Amino acid sequence: MKTLIHKIYLTLSLLIAVTGAALAQSSGPSANVSGSLLDEQGKPMMYATASLLNAQDSTIVKGAISNEQGVYSFDHIKKGRYVIKASTVGYQKAVSQPITVDNGSVTVPELKMLPNAHNLNAVSVTASKPLIERKIDRTVVNVANSPLAAGNSAMDILERAPGVSVDKDDNISLKGKQGVTVMLNDKLTYLTSAQLATLLRSTDGNTIESIEIITNPSAKYDAAGNSGIINIKLKKNKQTGTNGSLTLGTAYGAYWKDNETLQLNHKEGNLNVFGTFSHNDSKRIQHIDIKRIITDTAGKQTYFNQFSPLISNNHNNSYRFGADYDLSPKNTIGFVINGYFNNEDDSNDNRTYIGKNFSTVDSSLRTVSGIHQTYNNFAVNLNDTYKIDTAGQQISADLDYSRFRNNSNAQYITDFYLANGGMQHPQAFLGNLTPSNIDIHTAKVDYAKPLTKSVKMEAGFKYSDVKTDNNLQQTTVQGAPDTSVNHFVYDEKITAGYLNLNKQFKNTSIQAGLRAEYTRSSAVGDSMNMVQRIPRNYVDLFPSVFINHTINDKNEFSLSYSRRIDRPQYDNLNPFTYHLDPYTYQKGNPFLKPQYTNNFEFNYTYNKSITLTLGYSRTTDVITEVPGTNPVTKVAFVTQKNLQVQNAYNANLYAPYTITKWWDGNLNATLFYLGFKSNNLEGSNLDRGQTAYQIRATETFKPLNGYKLEVTGNYQSALTYGLFYVKPQYSVDAGLSHSFANKKANIKLSTSDIFNTRRNDVTSNYGSIDFDIRQRRESRITRLTFTYNFGSTKIRAREHQSGADDLNGRVKGNN
């Protein structure tokens, strides 16, 4: 208790000191000028041009573009009198009253823009964003107009994002580190890696606007995710009237695939209604070859050589619809309903050869398996946003409920053979029936208030309640049938609150934040009438500090620190044993503890484009997949354990460039080191690490009007992660798009992994563990996608972002 009080005292002292210094600091000879633009209905006017003019002679001092909230900003403005002029296609120009810039920042009263008297229904305004943008606190991948996004799922696109990699078990890593939190539209997903994979593969890439990679989040975000947050932003309709788009696509790799998406939106008066439905069929194959050596207590070695061609046939359906209604110019309420209903059929013909070496076979076994899985998700969000005043004070609230119903029915039939082909044992049967139910309730409130012209406060509260119910019914037949029932229930409640204070100085901004989370969890396992209860209750504080300094118009840097947590995924806590064949199984660990990370980051930006980032993090009780063997039964297994420490260093360079007006590109290079230490792991002390690097280059060509060609190359060197050695990975993707019919129609042709080089090969040699996994997924796929946009093309200006997808990221689904 004393330690907790001491943490609170130190953190609050930091906040008070930063705020006091901020309030005491006087502004220098330049200031920040900002304001917002509204349309005739009082809605934010996005992507309008705002010009800062000298009030005396009307000369232009600076220009800016309003963001999605209609906000524009000018920094480093000298003392004087100015006016703001706003303009955009289809609207009359708007001019503000003169303003005076003296000491401190200036907030300009809202400017309303009225439409021209002419009918502009046929006018379509488009803006081209670079594929990758590096902002001060995040990297943004603008996939909306990329040919590489056409026909791909969210998971396919995520695998191509800078610094992101996905392993054979669908675990997502960022700059080599696992522990990534994935959000959808600023909402946590609360899913395990496999369930998250289901969600991402159900999300059509054509519905994605951008992917944000946030390596050091502030206290406003949930504290989960030691390596950062990946926020997937879905497309927002910006047009009035009735409009939509239809996407049809086909693809071929080893098998044919298809995808279809329909988006509709209607905006009239104060009401905005929107909906999306997507369907895709995807049949894929992956080859998994495993070589392992088992050493018994007498030192005798047995060699296992396993070959597994796994064919997966997926049918995915996802939907999203909702509405926003403006009760007044200040108050907007809304709801969003989304979900999916998917099914998957997997078949595998697994052959394992056993002998005293890999070339000599003493016996073998063949396991033929069939797995039928269904995944159903339903989620609803209710939201309310109230703008208290024009100075930026507002309050927002969200209520969310998510339900997941997953079922798996697996059957494994194994035949045992002697070296001469005769039967060694009677045929064995294994059946797994694994229904899994997950219910998630969340509620949150966020409040923002400018305390002065240069000091802003943010505060919020969040409560989440997650309950998972898993029931494994396992039947084995080898002679006499045997049925066992294992029931596992996990209940987790998190109460959280945060406070952020932001102060703007002359050329420097400082933000200090503190987040507190109280976690109550209970794991109850009932296996063979033996009940095991593991309750946990703990309070954690998560401070964060961000300092940004602008040296001049071309040079700026920032420093940041945050503390974060990763709680175990629900399926990793489940203690039941899942057999894949008589010699292989996976088992959870109900005694897993949360892991904690301290992140430090330095960021330097030149000319608003070239960025150098240096980072260091230290993680304690790091959750890591650990393989093991039983020298008596010669069975291999995988489970999760807490290692003592992980130290991670990284350096990232992002450099966009333009060669000609029709050819530009960017380079994203990351150098990192991951080191792991743990005492008494599998009978010895672990101390290993390796320096590795990732390089990703993207070239964009626009040789003719309406055509765009993108080529992306990616290379990741060999790296060490815990007990695993991951071999190099590399691939090249390319895509061509063409817009026609007054840019209403678009056709895209792309090929991923053109040279069919993408592999996921892993080895481990530690203590008694010795295995080599070679995995090749169907990665070379050619896609043809057609999109047609129809309906009104008038520009509109608003869409709500709600907030509860953050829990869905710890739930498990298909692969």
Side-chain angles (χ1 to χ4, degrees):
M1 187 66 182
K2 288 183 179 180
T3 303
L4 174 61
I5 295 174
H6 184 61
K7 287 182 179 179
I8 296 175
Y9 173 78
L10 288 176
T11 310
L12 291 179
S13 298
L14 172 64
L15 289 172
I16 294 170
V18 171
T19 307
L23 293 171
Q25 178 73 28
S26 61
S27 298
S30 64
N32 178 272
V33 176
S34 62
S36 57
L37 305 177
L38 306 177
D39 65 10
E40 72 278 13
Q41 297 179 348
K43 303 293 184 281
M45 178 63 71
M46 298 183 290
Y47 310 129
T49 300
S51 301
L52 182 70
L53 309 179
N54 191 305
Q56 184 175 3
D57 56 13
S58 296
T59 56
I60 298 178
V61 179
K62 274 194 173 184
I65 302 295
S66 62
N67 62 16
E68 293 183 353
Q69 287 73 44
V71 177
Y72 61 87
S73 179
F74 307 102
D75 54 9
H76 304 108
I77 305 304
K78 297 179 179 180
K79 293 182 180 181
R81 283 177 59 79
Y82 303 92
V83 295
I84 306 296
K85 183 173 73 172
S87 62
T88 192
V89 175
Y91 283 79
Q92 303 174 21
K93 293 180 180 179
V95 181
S96 72
Q97 294 295 321
I99 59 171
T100 300
V101 176
D102 193 0
N103 289 324
S105 299
V106 176
T107 300
V108 182
E110 293 174 339
L111 271 178
K112 274 199 172 183
M113 304 183 67
L114 301 178
N116 286 330
H118 306 291
N119 184 358
L120 293 176
N121 283 352
V123 176
S124 176
V125 181
T126 60
S128 178
K129 292 183 179 180
L131 178 63
I132 298 177
E133 285 184 284
R134 185 62 178 91
K135 296 186 177 181
I136 191 170
D137 63 340
R138 65 194 65 192
T139 298
V140 180
V141 185
N142 296 303
V143 302
N145 297 314
S146 170
L148 299 180
N152 282 312
S153 68
M155 177 65 86
D156 297 324
I157 298 171
L158 198 59
E159 289 184 280
R160 294 163 174 77
V164 178
S165 58
V166 181
D167 70 10
K168 62 181 178 61
D169 299 315
D170 293 316
N171 296 305
I172 300 172
S173 299
L174 184 57
K175 296 180 181 178
K177 287 175 55 184
Q178 292 187 8
V180 180
T181 295
V182 176
M183 304 176 73
L184 285 177
N185 282 345
D186 303 304
K187 296 168 54 183
L188 286 174
T189 52
Y190 295 104
L191 301 170
T192 62
S193 58
Q195 287 170 322
L196 179 61
T198 299
L199 176 63
L200 295 177
R201 289 201 172 95
S202 302
T203 304
D204 193 330
N206 292 291
T207 66
I208 298 175
E209 179 72 27
S210 63
I211 294 175
E212 298 178 340
I213 301 172
I214 311 170
T215 54
N216 219 0
S218 71
K220 182 177 180 179
Y221 293 93
D222 287 69
N226 82 86
S227 60
I229 291 174
I230 296 175
N231 186 24
I232 300 175
K233 309 275 281 189
L234 300 180
K235 288 181 178 178
K236 304 175 185 178
N237 193 284
K238 306 176 179 71
Q239 298 168 339
T240 59
T242 301
N243 53 77
S245 66
L246 175 66
T247 299
L248 303 173
T250 185
Y252 184 79
Y255 303 97
W256 285 101
K257 314 168 204 306
D258 65 82
N259 64 282
E260 303 84 31
T261 297
L262 175 65
Q263 292 180 294
L264 295 172
N265 188 88
H266 179 74
K267 174 72 170 68
E268 183 175 357
N270 294 335
L271 178 65
N272 177 42
V273 182
F274 53 89
T276 300
F277 180 81
S278 296
H279 169 81
N280 71 74
D281 299 297
S282 177
K283 187 176 182 181
R284 294 194 180 202
I285 186 171
Q286 60 176 318
H287 295 273
I288 305 175
D289 302 337
I290 305 176
K291 291 183 176 181
R292 60 178 184 260
I293 304 173
I294 307 295
T295 305
D296 63 19
T297 54
K300 180 182 177 181
Q301 292 184 325
T302 303
Y303 290 73
F304 292 78
N305 199 358
Q306 182 175 334
F307 302 90
S308 299
L310 176 62
I311 299 176
S312 299
N313 200 345
N314 296 272
H315 304 280
N316 299 325
N317 305 273
S318 63
Y319 58 89
R320 180 175 183 265
F321 68 92
D324 294 326
Y325 185 78
D326 299 315
L327 296 175
S328 71
K330 292 185 177 181
N331 192 13
T332 301
I333 61 173
F335 76 91
V336 179
I337 295 176
N338 61 271
Y340 56 78
F341 49 99
N342 307 331
N343 66 78
E344 176 183 351
D345 290 289
D346 298 335
S347 61
N348 189 7
D349 189 353
N350 175 42
R351 296 175 183 267
T352 303
Y353 301 92
I354 307 170
K356 58 185 177 182
N357 54 55
F358 287 125
S359 59
T360 302
V361 177
D362 297 326
S363 63
S364 66
L365 59 99
R366 177 187 182 189
T367 299
V368 178
S369 62
I371 306 173
H372 176 70
Q373 303 173 84
T374 60
Y375 306 94
N376 294 279
N377 167 238
F378 172 81
V380 59
N381 164 264
L382 302 176
N383 55 78
D384 188 359
T385 301
Y386 183 75
K387 297 179 180 178
I388 301 174
D389 55 36
T390 59
Q393 184 179 192
Q394 77 171 34
I395 186 169
S396 62
D398 286 89
L399 294 174
D400 290 85
Y401 169 70
S402 299
R403 182 191 68 206
F404 296 85
R405 300 290 183 263
N406 305 326
N407 288 280
S408 176
N409 188 349
Q411 296 182 345
Y412 306 86
I413 299 175
T414 303
D415 291 303
F416 303 85
Y417 300 97
L418 297 170
N420 61 7
M423 297 299 296
Q424 183 183 29
H425 302 298
Q427 187 181 76
F429 171 84
L430 171 66
N432 287 336
L433 185 62
T434 53
S436 174
N437 300 323
I438 302 171
D439 290 279
I440 302 170
H441 299 80
T442 64
K444 77 185 194 81
V445 177
D446 294 290
Y447 174 71
K449 177 178 174 59
L451 301 178
T452 68
K453 290 183 178 180
S454 60
V455 178
K456 182 180 180 180
M457 178 193 73
E458 293 179 313
F461 168 85
K462 182 177 181 180
Y463 174 78
S464 65
D465 184 357
V466 181
K467 185 176 182 179
T468 73
D469 191 327
N470 301 273
N471 192 11
L472 169 63
Q473 301 170 43
Q474 189 170 85
T475 301
T476 58
V477 179
Q478 191 168 11
D482 180 28
T483 300
S484 62
V485 177
N486 299 280
H487 194 198
F488 178 74
V489 177
Y490 181 75
D491 194 359
E492 178 183 86
K493 297 177 174 62
I494 301 175
T495 305
Y498 73 90
L499 174 66
N500 272 336
L501 292 172
N502 187 289
K503 166 67 179 177
Q504 293 288 138
F505 294 93
K506 172 188 173 183
N507 297 320
T508 305
S509 63
I510 299 177
Q511 176 177 290
L514 175 65
R515 186 179 186 90
E517 294 188 352
Y518 171 49
T519 304
R520 292 176 295 157
S521 67
S522 174
V524 181
D526 183 358
S527 178
M528 304 298 291
N529 296 320
M530 296 182 61
V531 179
Q532 185 178 39
R533 295 180 180 273
I534 305 175
R536 280 205 180 100
N537 298 282
Y538 49 95
V539 177
D540 288 305
L541 297 178
F542 302 97
S544 60
V545 179
F546 299 83
I547 302 173
N548 187 76
H549 178 70
T550 301
I551 303 172
N552 50 45
D553 289 341
K554 289 186 176 295
N555 297 277
E556 61 181 305
F557 69 86
S558 62
L559 296 167
S560 62
Y561 161 78
S562 66
R563 183 174 186 260
R564 306 196 60 75
I565 185 175
D566 283 287
R567 300 174 181 87
Q569 292 185 356
Y570 312 131
D571 61 316
N572 290 335
L573 293 167
N574 192 332
F576 306 149
T577 298
Y578 294 88
H579 285 274
L580 299 180
D581 62 42
Y583 289 98
T584 311
Y585 72 85
Q586 181 176 350
K587 186 176 182 178
N589 179 3
F591 298 99
L592 279 176
K593 298 181 291 184
Q595 64 180 28
Y596 295 90
T597 302
N598 289 285
N599 279 322
F600 302 85
E601 191 169 280
F602 167 81
N603 183 285
Y604 168 74
T605 303
Y606 174 74
N607 201 28
K608 305 291 184 181
S609 57
I610 300 176
T611 304
L612 174 66
T613 302
L614 304 176
Y616 167 72
S617 68
R618 179 179 175 86
T619 303
T620 57
D621 290 326
V622 56
I623 300 172
T624 306
E625 184 176 271
V626 176
T629 59
N630 187 322
V632 178
T633 62
K634 300 179 182 179
V635 172
F637 62 89
V638 173
T639 188
Q640 298 279 333
K641 290 187 178 181
N642 290 104
L643 305 186
Q644 281 184 297
V645 176
Q646 176 198 69
N647 289 299
Y649 303 83
N650 68 79
N652 174 263
L653 174 66
Y654 171 70
Y657 49 85
T658 299
I659 297 178
T660 69
K661 63 181 181 180
W662 52 268
W663 179 6
D664 56 43
N666 63 76
L667 174 69
N668 194 293
T670 302
L671 179 70
F672 60 92
Y673 171 83
L674 297 178
F676 295 82
K677 293 184 178 181
S678 194
N679 294 332
N680 194 25
L681 178 65
E682 300 297 317
S684 59
N685 295 332
L686 174 71
D687 185 2
R688 60 169 56 176
Q690 182 177 356
T691 300
Y693 60 91
Q694 295 173 331
I695 298 178
R696 184 176 185 83
T698 301
E699 307 298 325
T700 302
F701 306 90
K702 298 178 182 178
L704 299 173
N705 187 31
Y707 287 86
K708 179 193 287 187
L709 171 66
E710 284 181 5
V711 180
T712 299
N714 185 71
Y715 180 83
Q716 176 181 285
S717 70
L719 62 91
T720 297
Y721 197 94
L723 275 66
F724 298 96
Y725 175 78
V726 183
K727 296 183 179 180
Q729 302 175 9
Y730 52 95
S731 61
V732 176
D733 306 330
L736 175 67
S737 67
H738 173 55
S739 297
F740 56 97
N742 198 23
K743 296 188 177 179
K744 288 186 176 182
N746 186 280
I747 188 168
K748 301 177 181 180
L749 177 66
S750 65
T751 299
S752 59
D753 194 15
I754 296 174
F755 302 105
N756 202 24
T757 55
R758 188 177 298 152
R759 301 178 62 93
N760 199 336
D761 297 340
V762 178
T763 63
S764 182
N765 191 339
Y766 179 82
S768 62
I769 302 166
D770 190 346
F771 69 81
D772 187 344
I773 301 176
R774 297 181 179 272
Q775 178 176 270
R776 179 188 291 276
R777 289 184 176 180
E778 180 189 352
S779 56
R780 181 165 61 185
I781 301 173
T782 299
R783 302 181 182 275
L784 180 65
T785 305
F786 172 77
T787 301
Y788 183 76
N789 301 302
F790 54 87
S792 172
T793 55
K794 282 186 177 179
I795 296 175
R796 75 172 194 86
R798 188 199 178 273
E799 176 150 332
H800 171 79
Q801 295 178 6
S802 59
D805 282 336
D806 32 290
L807 280 177
N808 301 335
R810 292 164 62 202
V811 191
K812 204 158 194 174
N814 73 1
N815 293 324

